[in-house]
Amino acid sequence: MDANINAKMDTTTALENLKYVRPRLAVTELGIVRENRDEAVPVLLERLKTAADAVSSGNLDDYYGDEYYDPAFYAMYMLAEFRAAEALPLLLQVLKGDSDDVDMLLGDLLTEGYGQMIAMCATPEDAALIKEIASNRELNEFHRCAALKALVVMWVEDVLPREVLVDFLAEQIGLYIGMTDEEFDSDEEMYVSSLIDYIAPLHADGLHDDAKAFLARGLIDWRLNSVDEFDKRVKEAVNTKSGKQMLINADYCEFLGKTEDVLSKWHFFRDKPKFDVKVGRNEPCPCGSGNKYKRCCL
C-alpha cells in the first residue's frame, strides 16, 4: 500500500512503503530511513533475515506476497549503504542457498551489486568467511563469484590488505592448475575466468604465468577468457598505472553509491514500454535488456 509522499512522512510509514518494490523509486522513503538510521536498521535486518531464512529453507514461495512485495530488496541496499556489519552473515547465508532460490530472490543483483554489498558490510576479520564461500566448489559458481568479487572490492577500497587477496588468488589458481583436464568441472568456468580476470591487474610474481598457463589449456570457453584477453587486461592495468583503477573501470569493483543513485539507472524504475504478450516475472524481459522482467519493465 502506498502512503502519500510528503515531507511529513514518518519512519514507520517509510519503512512500510519500502516493503514494496514498485516502478516509482522510493526516494522520499530512502531519505527518511537514512535520516533515522538507528530506528530503521533493526527493521531492515529482520527483513533480510526473513529472506535469508526463506532461501535456506526453500520456502521462498511463502516469502513473496503481493505482486510488488519484496521487503529484502531495499533492506539489502540500505544495510550495505550503512555499512551494517550485522548484515554480513545474512548476506553470506543467502549465497549458501539453492541456486534457483537465490536466483528468485536476487535475480540480476547477484552479479550486479551483491559482491559490493558484502564488501561494504565486511571487515578484514570477515575475509575468512567470505573466502569460505568463494572456495566452496559445491556452491553455484555465480554465488562463488559474488564472494570473490567482495574480496576484490575490499582490497580496492582499502579494507583488505593486498597480500591477503594475492595469497587467496594464488591458492585458488594453484588448485585449478593442479587438476587434470578430466578433473576440471566446466560448471566452474565462470568462476575461474573471474579469478583470472582479477589476477591480471595485481602484478603479482608468478600469478600471471599461472593464469596464462591455465588459459592455454583451453578449458575455458574463449568467449569467457583467453590468453589474448588476459594480456589486454594486464596492458590496461599498466596503462592506467593502477590495478585498482582498472578494476573499477572494467569490473565496477568499488562500493555502491547512494541507493537511489544506483537504482535510478535500472530499467525497472524508468518509464516502461507496454507489451502485447503476457510475461512471467522471472522470464527474460521482452525489451531485450537481458534482465528478468520483474527487475526490468514490469
Side-chain angles (χ1 to χ4, degrees):
M1 85 186 157
D2 271 323
N4 292 327
I5 305 302
N6 57 59
K8 296 180 180 179
M9 183 188 299
D10 61 22
T11 309
T12 299
T13 302
L15 285 167
E16 179 66 23
N17 287 349
L18 290 180
K19 286 182 178 179
Y20 300 86
V21 185
R22 296 189 171 96
R24 176 189 66 79
L25 182 56
V27 175
T28 300
E29 289 89 337
L30 292 170
I32 291 171
V33 166
R34 190 175 290 114
E35 291 172 0
N36 297 276
R37 169 178 174 162
D38 290 345
E39 181 181 350
V41 164
V43 177
L44 299 174
L45 284 169
E46 184 58 34
R47 291 177 183 178
L48 178 54
K49 182 179 186 306
T50 299
D53 288 345
V55 169
S56 296
S57 63
N59 289 326
L60 266 182
D61 288 340
D62 296 332
Y63 165 79
Y64 287 110
D66 299 337
E67 184 175 20
Y68 293 108
Y69 184 81
D70 189 355
F73 181 78
Y74 282 119
M76 288 186 287
Y77 275 97
M78 291 306 291
L79 289 167
E81 185 179 324
F82 292 155
R83 307 286 298 275
E86 307 96 319
L88 180 68
L90 300 172
L91 294 171
L92 296 180
Q93 179 182 336
V94 169
L95 291 182
K96 296 177 182 178
D98 177 79
S99 59
D100 288 340
D101 291 328
V102 174
D103 184 52
M104 182 179 292
L105 178 69
L106 300 181
D108 304 302
L109 175 58
L110 177 60
T111 56
E112 298 177 11
Y114 203 73
Q116 291 94 319
M117 288 179 176
I118 292 171
M120 291 167 76
C121 296
T123 67
E125 291 72 29
D126 297 316
L129 294 174
I130 301 171
K131 288 191 285 186
E132 183 181 322
I133 299 288
S135 61
N136 187 344
R137 299 181 63 207
E138 299 299 317
L139 294 176
N140 178 280
E141 63 175 341
F142 289 100
H143 303 191
R144 299 174 66 197
C145 284
L148 179 62
K149 187 165 193 173
L151 294 168
V152 176
V153 173
M154 289 170 67
W155 170 63
V156 169
E157 296 286 357
D158 298 322
V159 176
L160 190 70
R162 179 180 182 274
E163 58 268 22
V164 176
L165 177 62
V166 169
D167 287 349
F168 180 70
L169 296 179
E171 172 192 304
Q172 288 292 284
I173 194 63
L175 171 69
Y176 292 101
I177 282 281
M179 292 181 184
T180 66
D181 291 2
E182 292 73 22
E183 289 172 332
F184 180 69
D185 187 343
S186 61
D187 286 341
E188 297 183 85
E189 279 186 273
M190 183 63 71
Y191 176 76
V192 179
S193 177
S194 297
L195 184 71
I196 290 172
D197 279 345
Y198 296 142
I199 287 172
L202 279 170
H203 311 297
D205 291 342
L207 280 186
H208 282 189
D209 291 339
D210 286 346
K212 291 177 70 170
F214 187 84
L215 288 170
R217 291 165 63 181
L219 298 176
I220 295 179
D221 191 308
W222 64 270
R223 289 167 293 189
L224 289 177
N225 219 328
S226 66
V227 172
D228 287 344
E229 185 62 29
F230 181 82
D231 286 337
K232 287 179 183 178
R233 286 178 65 88
V234 172
K235 184 177 180 180
E236 183 180 349
V238 171
N239 289 340
T240 60
K241 298 182 173 59
S242 168
K244 290 184 176 182
Q245 191 58 51
M246 181 260 179
L247 286 164
I248 292 171
N249 295 345
D251 302 306
Y252 306 105
C253 288
E254 60 184 334
F255 286 166
L256 301 174
K258 288 176 64 175
T259 299
E260 52 268 48
D261 293 341
V262 174
L263 295 180
S264 65
K265 300 178 178 66
W266 283 43
H267 286 278
F268 179 80
F269 296 107
R270 300 176 182 176
D271 291 336
K272 309 298 190 303
K274 297 187 181 299
F275 304 111
D276 295 330
V277 295
K278 184 175 181 180
V279 186
R281 285 170 56 83
N282 288 305
E283 293 178 5
C285 186
C287 78
S289 68
N291 297 327
K292 291 188 175 183
Y293 185 47
K294 69 179 180 182
R295 293 285 186 252
C296 194
C297 294
L298 177 63

